[in-house]
Amino acid sequence: MQWWRDAVVYQVYVRSFADSDGDGVGDLAGVRSRLGYLELLGVDALWLTPFYRSPMADHGYDVADPRDVDPVFGDLAAFDALVEDAHRHGLKIIVDLVPNHTSTEHEWFRAALDSAPGSPERARYHFRPGKGENGDEPPNNWRSIFGGPAWERVGEEEWYLHLFAPEQADLNWTNPEVWADLEKTLRFWADRGVDGFRIDVAHGMAKPDGLPDDPQARIELLANTDGDPRFDQDGVHDVHRMVRAVLDHYPGRMAVGEIWVRDDERFARYVRPDELHQGFNFRLLQTPFEAAAIRDAVEHSIAAVDAVGSRPTWTLSNHDISRPVTRYGGGEVGLARARAMALVVLALPGSAYIYNGEELGMPDVEVPDDALQDPVWERSGHTERGRDSCRIPVPWEGSAPAYGFSTGEPWLPMPPDWDALTAAEQLEDTGSTLSMFRHALELRHTHPGFAATDDRRTRVEWYGAPPGCLAFRRSGTTLACALNTSDAPVPLPPGDVLVTSGPLTEDGQLPPDTAAWLA
Ligand code: NOJ
């Protein structure tokens, strides 16, 4: 069963979702305690960010043992209990795999440090002698995504490659042991009953022969990877074919890749029939709140996957980027736009990914310097604040921090004025962002416009719309969505209004910063 083709997946940033033991950090038992809420919300699946053994230099994306649970998040028994309960609530579970790199606390990396240059232990990573007379210059000019050189020197003789933090050493994907280990990890979690895998940096892993300099010495991950020797190398597709071959032995399991590749044709390669089932296309999330640009991003995202017979995925936020409310302008305008965009995304064909707190309209939070946790802050020499502001724990109930998230002090500070933002408050208010999400998700399950998954419904048909507006229909159905990004109210397309992201005008027009579904 290809359940993922139209699924709404809820991203649980485990650290920030719900804390069951009062240490201020969310955990697996905390997620389990909130499954009732997620069922009520109406999502189909959960993506759990890494909960594996980790020194937490990058909050779990530095994995020391990919087949065990870090004590801060629980243990394997807690994981099994979560999977079982989630399935009982009708929710699938997707876990996050990090195959591009390991923690420098991984037993392989420790063994590499204890071994000589040229040893099989070092051959699982990218160790190279330095340049310059004394070898004290990095082997090439690559930059780390988190700032600074992508190389760290160990001893007199060699440097190792880390595209992210120095605590995250890049694996050598020309080494068969590295392949075998990922296969083992896939089977380990698939055998424990998970329904899918999110593949971290799915456009990474393969490195070009000889590790040539980057002519542009780029830093960013979120930019175009065109010609960037660090990413989107052709060899990576063999890795995804292996992943697919393993998962094909487990009916109903899927893999979704994190793919920061903007070119449609190159993006499409990742979701060919023998590679990943889905890929995150980040175009829409990089698009301003402007109808023409939004339409362009939607068309590109659909065209990319349509070409290879795959289905689009949509996402407006995750734990790496500024939240939509803030990105679209902040305050009431930002919230109105974020709500409108949520309706656009949930009306599009394919699957949608919601990041925890998005359904509450959480904004970014300015975190004081001394509370910042993201490695980006230190690595950038305190010039980049990093991603903490979009990782604030979820407010559940009550009128003061930690709003039911934890009985202890939350790992990131929560604002004192969030009582109206809590899930408990919003469940009571029919006009809340949470109520809008619940209504839209219910319609996704019950309205015939969402019923079928045949391929015609990968597409949308565009209506003519006033300047600054867009309107589309899901192909083969009567379900339409209209969005107004202009600064004046506009008439709605014909049809019965099913749900709106905010109130219509008195004479029934669609106001600025608002979207509506019609049938
Ligand atoms: C992408 C993840 O989403 C991000 O949080 C992490 O820092 C990098 N990959 C490195 O694993």
Side-chain angles (χ1 to χ4, degrees):
M1 196 208 33
Q2 299 185 317
W3 59 268
W4 57 86
R5 290 170 59 90
D6 296 285
V8 176
V9 183
Y10 186 92
Q11 179 190 352
V12 177
Y13 191 68
V14 179
R15 279 188 92 73
S16 297
F17 190 65
D19 171 23
S20 72
D21 59 6
D23 65 357
V25 175
D27 48 43
L28 296 176
V31 180
R32 190 170 160 220
S33 74
R34 297 289 180 180
L35 290 172
Y37 167 83
L38 295 166
E39 191 180 356
L40 199 69
L41 175 60
V43 296
D44 305 301
L46 310 182
W47 149 28
L48 305 174
T49 53
F51 48 79
Y52 318 112
R53 276 196 185 267
S54 164
M56 307 291 166
D58 187 20
H59 296 124
Y61 284 95
D62 49 320
V63 180
D65 181 349
R67 295 181 287 275
D68 199 5
V69 174
D70 194 276
V72 81
F73 297 128
D75 54 20
L76 281 170
F79 179 78
D80 291 341
L82 171 58
V83 173
E84 199 183 321
D85 260 19
H87 286 163
R88 207 173 294 136
H89 283 268
L91 296 163
K92 311 272 188 205
I93 294 281
I94 296 174
V95 300
D96 203 328
L97 297 184
V98 191
N100 181 70
H101 43 265
T102 74
S103 163
T104 48
E105 293 295 308
H106 190 289
E107 60 175 352
W108 275 4
F109 195 81
R110 289 213 226 130
L113 289 189
D114 289 343
S115 305
S119 60
E121 286 80 4
R122 290 208 170 184
R124 296 171 180 138
Y125 296 90
H126 297 280
F127 281 87
R128 292 285 185 285
K131 280 191 177 158
E133 222 170 279
N134 305 314
D136 51 10
E137 288 165 34
N140 71 17
N141 74 348
W142 292 5
R143 313 288 295 167
S144 149
I145 299 298
F146 294 155
W151 295 92
E152 190 79 3
R153 193 172 193 184
V154 283
E156 292 286 286
E157 287 171 88
E158 288 196 313
W159 300 63
Y160 69 88
L161 177 68
H162 60 88
L163 291 185
F164 294 88
E167 295 86 353
Q168 293 165 296
D170 277 55
L171 285 162
N172 173 11
W173 277 91
T174 64
N175 186 322
E177 280 186 83
V178 171
W179 288 64
D181 196 67
L182 179 62
E183 182 169 343
K184 193 168 163 189
T185 301
L186 283 163
R187 290 186 187 282
F188 180 87
W189 296 107
D191 288 338
R192 292 195 107 84
V194 310
D195 305 283
F197 297 89
R198 180 250 188 199
I199 312 279
D200 188 64
V201 204
H203 59 312
M205 293 176 273
K207 309 288 189 280
D209 286 346
L211 307 180
D213 277 349
D214 175 3
Q216 295 177 39
R218 278 167 275 221
I219 298 181
E220 312 83 4
L221 169 72
L222 312 190
N224 201 346
T225 47
D226 212 10
D228 185 336
R230 301 170 303 168
F231 297 109
D232 192 31
Q233 299 296 308
D234 289 344
V236 73
H237 296 288
D238 292 333
V239 179
H240 297 313
R241 284 189 197 101
M242 180 274 275
V243 169
R244 181 58 176 257
V246 172
L247 295 185
D248 280 347
H249 288 288
Y250 292 90
R253 319 300 169 94
M254 56 80 83
V256 53
E258 182 202 24
I259 304 166
W260 288 98
V261 172
R262 203 170 162 83
D263 180 80
D264 291 344
E265 190 274 325
R266 293 207 65 92
F267 180 92
R269 296 178 185 209
Y270 291 81
V271 290
R272 288 178 287 200
D274 60 345
E275 298 196 34
L276 301 175
H277 302 82
Q278 290 186 333
F280 287 117
N281 194 324
F282 295 112
R283 242 177 211 275
L284 192 57
L285 152 170
Q286 295 173 300
T287 300
F289 189 75
E290 286 166 23
I294 293 165
R295 176 172 167 167
D296 184 67
V298 167
E299 284 178 333
H300 273 283
S301 306
I302 292 178
V305 296
D306 215 21
V308 289
S310 183
R311 303 265 297 170
T313 68
W314 309 99
T315 180
L316 293 173
S317 64
N318 63 37
H319 61 293
D320 291 330
I321 43 146
S322 175
R323 285 186 176 269
V325 171
T326 303
R327 230 171 48 225
Y328 294 136
E332 280 182 25
V333 168
L335 178 61
R337 292 176 174 175
R339 289 171 61 139
M341 285 303 293
L343 283 193
V344 169
V345 158
L346 291 172
L348 288 165
S351 68
Y353 284 73
I354 300 172
Y355 172 44
N356 62 204
E358 189 175 343
E359 81 281 16
L360 302 176
M362 278 173 77
D364 286 354
V365 173
E366 209 35 61
V367 178
D369 290 5
D370 59 359
L372 287 172
Q373 307 268 346
D374 190 341
V376 169
W377 174 240
E378 291 302 327
R379 292 284 301 167
S380 69
H382 295 187
T383 57
E384 300 282 335
R385 302 189 70 76
R387 303 159 293 177
D388 294 322
S389 55
C390 67
R391 297 176 173 179
I392 307 299
V394 170
W396 291 100
E397 64 235 349
S399 54
Y403 304 100
F405 162 72
S406 171
T407 54
E409 192 173 335
W411 72 283
L412 285 172
M414 300 174 76
D417 57 351
W418 266 12
D419 41 328
L421 205 71
T422 63
E425 276 294 307
Q426 294 202 36
L427 280 172
E428 299 297 318
D429 172 5
T430 52
S432 70
T433 305
L434 177 56
S435 295
M436 182 202 79
F437 268 88
R438 285 184 63 196
H439 190 185
L441 293 178
E442 193 191 323
L443 285 167
R444 259 183 93 105
H445 284 120
T446 54
H447 192 277
F450 292 100
T453 56
D454 67 81
D455 287 332
R456 269 182 320 148
R457 293 175 199 221
T458 297
R459 314 223 171 102
V460 296
E461 287 153 30
W462 299 94
Y463 293 110
C469 298
L470 61 79
F472 62 86
R473 191 161 66 96
R474 287 169 71 97
S475 292
T477 81
T478 56
L479 189 103
C481 176
L483 170 72
N484 183 357
T485 70
S486 78
D487 50 18
V490 295
L492 280 169
D496 296 333
V497 176
L498 298 173
V499 57
T500 63
S501 64
L504 299 179
T505 62
E506 267 174 26
D507 57 350
Q509 299 211 60
L510 187 67
D513 304 324
T514 309
W517 288 5
L518 306 114

